[in-house]
Amino acid sequence: MVFSFFVLAGIFAYLFATFNPNLIFLETIPAGGDTPSHYMAFKYMKEYLLPNGKIMGYFMGNYAGFPIFYHYFPLPFFLASMLSEFLPPQVAFKLTTILGSLFLPIATYLLFSLLGFERSICLFSSILSLYFLFNEENTMWGGNIPSTLAGEFAFSFSFSVFVALLGFIFYGIEKERHLILNSVLFAIMGLSHGYTLFTFLLISTFFLLKRTPIKELLYLFKFYLLGVGFMAYWFIPFLYNLPYTTPFMFKWHFGSIREVLPPHMVPFFALSFAAFFYFFKEKSVRFLLYSFSVSVFLYFIAYPIGLGDIRFLTFAQYFLLLPSVLWTKRLGIAKMKYVILFFLFTAVFLRFNTTYIPKWIEWNYSGIESKPAYPELVRIFEKLKELHDGGRVVYEHSLSYDKYGTVRIFELMKMFTGRDTLEGLYMQSSITSPYVFYIQSEISKEISAPFWQYPVANLDLKTASMHLSMFGVTHYIVKSDKVKEEIRKFPDYYEPLAKIGDIEIYKVKTTDYILVKPVTMEPVVYRGKNWKKDFYEWFKDPQNLDVPLILAEKDDVRFRLETEDIKNIPRRPLCFPLSRFTIRVTQRPEEIQFETPLIGHPHLVRVSYHPLFRVEGAKKVYLCAPSFMLVIPESGFVSIKFDRSWIHTMGDLYFFLSLGFLVILVLKKRTSRLNGHPSTRI
């Protein structure tokens, strides 16, 4: 056991040294891929959500507002927040991003140990997991170090827990033990990422593949009852939130066979295939084969069911890599001295066959502040802060922003300037994201268009001015020569304000930037079958934009106009009851307040709708195209606040019931011991 500890400690030290501790402990904001945007989310949890007793909430900084941590996974950010009580926030966050990579070899050792393999084989498997971690053939499938550096650290963390949990559930069902531990691990895994949760659910059916799996079925029932309960305060609101998200379905297109079959892993793949057949009689081997088969199955069905297919291929690679260690016993090398030799060989091999990982680590963890273009970035943000007029900022999409540390750098507008922007990282979490990417296509030379189900436009600055005005955008960052040339053709719409480096900042002259404004046309109730699709078509037609298209119940007598056909929308102008009026708006992190003299007149609130918004001073909050809110004030003061509801109460109740069941299990075990009975294994 002591030998195993030192080998695992050596692997841990090797990995930690790879991540360059000198850079990890620098108090800089990490760069690279999605990571800085995740850092802003961490800061929001640490500085606003947790002090207000929340782990989920609403964030105004991107997508005209969206529910944050309802559809992304809060636990890694919570861990970083806890660490930041003892360490600088930047350091705490950096350490959290590497936890999954650091602990995967240990989780692999636990998996093989709990499957019943000899200690030397367990150590071989732990070392072999390094080949998975250092795989440079893909950078965004998840699990490996490049994917972590791209910003997928939540997946990496959850993947490590997933691997350990597979071992504990195998052992727990066999021995009728570890029910509580396994349930806690399941909750930790689920609160960290969804793909691991989904994969685990299907792999656990392995234990039901027998004639009368009564014992297994009972264990799994209690396990899932508790496991889901331990994360119910998040999971039930997550399910409730699903209709107000934008599914991100993608089918991966391979650039090379090396992505699927990395050369340094192919020999191990071949040995594993042989091991599956040669050692098939062993239940633990069949379990690994079943896990591999489930991963491959999920890869092929992922796209049709609305998931990213490539995520599951990383599970398949992992499960096809590790069984190769079973041959060490057959070949007579399952001995500790060979473990040391294999570790030394692996360390040297990876050292000389790893190309870009060390450079990427340096790029990420040296931080945004270390980039040569950082002084220019500071000047841009300072200028935007100086120009702050309450309106949002939009920016041309460009891969060249990577010189600032990430192409997503302007998603951090809220953190650096206090101003809101449109685009953001958590695009699935918002019903507004399709409209944001449509606007992006109108104002950019390069476009990303991540949602295939929502076709976008081409560069069209004239139409864009109407969409920018609708979204309350007052400033526009331009990068490419093509857009700079094009924007000069529209002096009535865009006014140049500043030039910093190769960045130009323009004022959107058509925008009335007030967040709340009375509508000029009578609202029309939409009676069609697919509001998401039809609202998007409504948005694409500039002639529609002044007509508020809303969702309302059939018995709502406040509205007289309705339509099923968004190409035939009735138009009826509204008269203002006052010739002159002022609307005063106050915006807080999760609340919009406004004072208005136009009582009874519909007001458009240019913040993304969500059913968890509660209103005072009006009867109801209506979803208004494209994705905003509409209220009809019944008093001169209106407050719209993102708040808890019955769905949170359900989640909390389930969570506390699970804790109560846990207490009962513990007391039952203690009572059995005091009475001299065999202990109840939990």
Side-chain angles (χ1 to χ4, degrees):
M1 194 65 184
V2 174
F3 181 82
S4 298
F5 172 81
F6 280 107
V7 172
L8 292 174
I11 297 171
F12 185 93
Y14 175 78
L15 279 170
F16 193 57
T18 298
F19 282 105
N20 197 336
N22 290 330
L23 297 179
I24 293 293
F25 287 98
L26 274 180
E27 294 182 34
T28 55
I29 298 170
D34 298 346
T35 310
S37 294
H38 283 307
Y39 180 80
M40 183 171 67
F42 149 71
K43 288 271 286 182
Y44 190 66
M45 176 181 279
K46 170 183 168 54
E47 295 176 359
Y48 175 75
L49 293 177
L50 290 178
N52 285 278
K54 305 177 179 181
I55 61 167
M56 304 170 286
Y58 199 85
F59 182 63
M60 297 284 189
N62 308 101
Y63 294 119
F66 71 97
I68 192 167
F69 297 121
Y70 275 80
H71 204 69
Y72 200 71
F73 310 95
L75 184 59
F77 300 86
F78 178 79
L79 291 176
S81 299
M82 294 300 99
L83 271 177
S84 68
E85 295 297 315
F86 310 98
L87 297 167
Q90 303 94 322
V91 176
F93 183 77
K94 288 179 183 179
L95 285 172
T96 303
T97 64
I98 67 175
L99 286 179
S101 299
L102 292 177
F103 285 104
L104 183 61
I106 297 172
T108 303
Y109 176 88
L110 287 172
L111 169 63
F112 272 71
S113 178
L114 291 163
L115 290 179
F117 294 111
E118 294 180 10
R119 191 166 300 163
S120 58
I121 293 178
C122 300
L123 291 172
F124 271 115
S125 71
S126 181
I127 298 166
L128 195 58
S129 68
L130 294 174
Y131 290 82
F132 172 83
L133 285 171
F134 282 86
N135 176 25
E136 292 187 322
E137 299 302 331
N138 71 78
T139 60
M140 60 174 295
W141 295 9
N144 60 343
I145 290 175
S147 297
T148 299
L149 295 173
E152 296 171 14
F153 63 91
F155 182 95
S156 298
F157 179 81
S158 187
F159 187 80
S160 292
V161 179
F162 161 85
V163 169
L165 179 57
L166 285 178
F168 277 106
I169 199 72
F170 184 93
Y171 182 83
I173 289 178
E174 285 284 302
K175 306 294 184 181
E176 297 185 67
R177 300 187 65 179
H178 300 319
L179 177 63
I180 294 174
L181 173 63
N182 289 343
S183 299
V184 171
L185 288 175
F186 178 81
I188 291 172
M189 178 185 69
L191 288 168
S192 301
H193 213 276
Y195 278 91
T196 50
L197 180 69
F198 192 63
T199 306
F200 182 88
L201 288 172
L202 267 68
I203 290 176
S204 67
T205 60
F206 171 84
F207 303 105
L208 305 180
L209 300 179
K210 56 188 298 189
R211 185 167 296 179
T212 54
I214 304 300
K215 179 188 74 172
E216 292 81 1
L217 190 61
L218 181 60
Y219 187 98
L220 287 174
F221 174 76
K222 292 187 289 185
F223 162 73
Y224 281 120
L225 191 67
L226 273 177
V228 173
F230 290 153
M231 61 176 181
Y233 56 88
W234 173 81
F235 188 63
I236 290 180
F238 164 84
L239 295 177
Y240 175 79
N241 186 60
L242 285 175
Y244 300 94
T245 61
T246 302
F248 180 41
M249 302 173 287
F250 64 92
K251 191 173 184 64
W252 188 265
H253 298 285
F254 298 100
S256 168
I257 190 63
R258 293 168 63 99
E259 295 178 43
V260 183
L261 301 173
H264 73 289
M265 295 166 71
V266 167
F268 299 111
F269 287 170
L271 289 171
S272 292
F273 263 119
F276 283 145
F277 289 100
Y278 189 85
F279 301 102
F280 185 76
K281 291 183 179 180
E282 297 182 29
K283 184 177 180 180
S284 54
V285 176
R286 294 199 301 275
F287 181 63
L288 292 172
L289 175 59
Y290 191 79
S291 300
F292 167 73
S293 303
V294 164
S295 304
V296 173
F297 170 74
L298 287 173
Y299 167 74
F300 283 108
I301 71 162
Y303 185 73
I305 64 174
L307 296 172
D309 59 355
I310 202 62
R311 294 289 193 195
F312 298 107
L313 204 55
T314 197
F315 292 92
Q317 286 184 331
Y318 177 82
F319 288 120
L320 190 55
L321 173 69
L322 295 173
S324 58
V325 300
L326 301 180
W327 290 107
T328 57
K329 183 176 181 180
R330 181 66 181 172
L331 296 173
I333 58 172
K335 298 177 181 178
M336 296 306 180
K337 62 180 180 180
Y338 293 112
V339 168
I340 296 296
L341 289 174
F342 184 53
F343 177 48
L344 294 175
F345 169 81
T346 296
V348 173
F349 176 83
L350 294 176
R351 170 68 179 82
F352 288 100
N353 288 275
T354 299
T355 58
Y356 63 80
I357 286 177
K359 296 177 183 177
W360 199 350
I361 287 172
E362 182 176 1
W363 175 265
N364 275 27
Y365 295 122
S366 60
I368 289 172
E369 297 89 335
S370 71
K371 305 299 175 277
Y374 182 69
E376 180 182 299
L377 179 67
V378 171
R379 286 163 53 210
I380 294 169
F381 281 141
E382 286 297 325
K383 187 63 179 178
L384 290 168
K385 191 185 297 184
E386 175 189 321
L387 294 171
H388 196 345
D389 55 5
R392 297 183 175 111
V393 181
V394 77
Y395 52 91
E396 180 187 0
H397 177 71
S398 176
L399 297 178
S400 66
Y401 297 147
D402 198 49
K403 68 179 182 179
Y404 301 123
T406 172
V407 296
R408 294 184 175 276
I409 191 66
F410 291 116
E411 292 179 1
L412 281 66
M413 191 72 62
K414 190 76 168 181
M415 189 171 74
F416 281 104
T417 70
R419 301 188 63 177
D420 300 335
T421 186
L422 295 188
E423 196 171 336
L425 175 60
Y426 305 113
M427 56 188 177
Q428 291 170 271
S429 300
S430 172
I431 56 172
T432 303
S433 51
Y435 308 104
V436 168
F437 285 102
Y438 191 91
I439 292 173
Q440 182 206 87
S441 70
E442 292 180 312
I443 65 168
S444 302
K445 175 187 174 183
E446 306 168 19
I447 59 175
S448 55
F451 301 111
W452 64 266
Q453 67 271 40
Y454 293 103
V456 296
N458 294 311
L459 182 63
D460 183 355
L461 294 180
K462 186 175 181 180
T463 306
S465 67
M466 289 182 276
H467 289 143
L468 294 174
S469 179
M470 168 175 276
F471 272 80
V473 173
T474 55
H475 294 103
Y476 170 22
I477 296 171
V478 177
K479 176 66 173 66
S480 70
D481 291 337
K482 180 178 180 178
V483 178
K484 290 174 184 176
E485 180 181 346
E486 186 70 16
I487 201 169
R488 293 187 184 99
K489 299 176 184 178
F490 302 97
D492 292 337
Y493 299 99
Y494 305 97
E495 176 188 347
L497 296 179
K499 186 177 187 303
I500 302 172
D502 55 1
I503 292 289
E504 294 181 3
I505 301 174
Y506 286 79
K507 179 177 178 59
V508 182
K509 297 171 70 174
T510 56
T511 297
D512 174 9
Y513 60 79
I514 188 169
L515 199 63
V516 180
K517 61 181 296 186
V519 301
T520 59
M521 303 292 290
E522 185 168 338
V524 177
V525 178
Y526 170 76
R527 297 299 186 201
K529 296 180 179 179
N530 189 337
W531 67 266
K532 286 186 179 181
K533 177 178 178 295
D534 285 346
F535 277 23
Y536 192 72
E537 293 302 316
W538 170 91
F539 181 75
K540 290 161 63 176
D541 184 354
Q543 295 181 354
N544 288 332
L545 299 182
D546 61 338
V547 181
L549 190 63
I550 68 170
L551 295 185
E553 301 295 333
K554 289 187 177 181
D555 59 351
D556 196 324
V557 297
R558 290 168 170 254
F559 307 103
R560 298 171 294 174
L561 303 180
E562 58 182 55
T563 185
E564 293 183 0
D565 182 6
I566 52 107
K567 294 183 179 179
N568 186 26
I569 300 176
R571 301 174 61 86
R572 185 177 296 170
L574 284 176
C575 296
F576 290 103
L578 299 174
S579 58
R580 294 184 179 181
F581 56 88
T582 300
I583 298 177
R584 294 183 176 86
V585 181
T586 302
Q587 179 181 332
R588 294 190 171 91
E590 296 182 292
E591 185 177 10
I592 306 100
Q593 297 177 347
F594 65 93
E595 297 177 37
T596 178
L598 304 177
I599 298 171
H601 188 97
H603 287 58
L604 180 69
V605 183
R606 293 188 280 195
V607 172
S608 297
Y609 173 86
H610 196 277
L612 291 178
F613 274 107
R614 300 288 175 263
V615 63
E616 296 178 8
K619 184 177 181 181
K620 186 176 180 180
V621 177
Y622 297 92
L623 170 58
C624 181
S627 56
F628 296 153
M629 295 184 282
L630 184 137
V631 295
I632 302 176
E634 295 179 341
S635 70
F637 176 81
V638 178
S639 172
I640 306 171
K641 186 176 183 180
F642 191 82
D643 207 354
R644 288 172 56 87
S645 74
W646 61 271
I647 200 69
H648 298 86
T649 303
M650 283 185 61
D652 292 348
L653 180 62
Y654 188 4
F655 173 70
F656 285 113
L657 285 174
S658 299
L659 290 182
F661 186 50
L662 169 63
V663 171
I664 291 172
L665 288 176
V666 172
L667 291 177
K668 183 178 179 182
K669 179 178 180 180
R670 180 174 295 180
T671 302
S672 297
R673 286 178 175 174
L674 291 174
N675 293 336
H677 297 151
S679 63
T680 304
R681 295 179 173 180
I682 59 172

